[in-house]
Amino acid sequence: MISMIIEFLDNVDRAVATPLQLETYDLLRAKMAEGGDVPLADLLEALGLRDHRPLISRIKHLAEKGFLRLRPETDEEQVAVA
């Protein structure tokens, strides 16, 4: 299981993200605003994905584009996400 701490950053430029990245970003923000942990299965289902790799890729690209900062909780998870 992959666990990440996600911090949303302010003043993002939505024009630099793809529609799929924005869909993922908006879903993450909404789910996290509800409080608590967000199970990977919930995100995959909401995005119509069966595999976690596209989701992780979108999250990494959102981090690269300045939408969020992510930090895997363990060194093992850092390697899995990289």
Side-chain angles (χ1 to χ4, degrees):
M1 181 167 101
I2 298 172
S3 296
M4 285 186 269
I5 299 168
I6 295 176
E7 175 187 352
F8 294 100
L9 303 176
D10 295 327
N11 303 319
V12 298
D13 182 3
R14 293 179 68 89
V16 301
T18 68
L20 289 175
Q21 290 167 351
L22 291 174
E23 176 186 26
T24 302
Y25 175 76
D26 292 339
L27 177 65
L28 278 171
R29 282 200 75 120
K31 291 281 189 185
M32 291 183 74
E34 294 172 4
D37 293 335
V38 180
L40 184 63
D42 290 357
L43 296 173
L44 293 175
E45 182 180 340
L47 295 169
L49 299 171
R50 294 177 190 221
D51 187 1
H52 72 278
R53 287 176 288 202
L55 175 60
I56 299 302
S57 175
R58 291 180 197 178
I59 292 171
K60 286 172 55 177
H61 283 101
L62 287 165
E64 290 168 4
K65 292 178 179 185
F67 282 75
L68 51 89
R69 185 175 302 127
L70 62 103
R71 190 177 68 228
E73 293 184 337
T74 68
D75 289 340
E76 219 170 59
E77 291 165 345
Q78 176 68 46
V79 172
V81 172

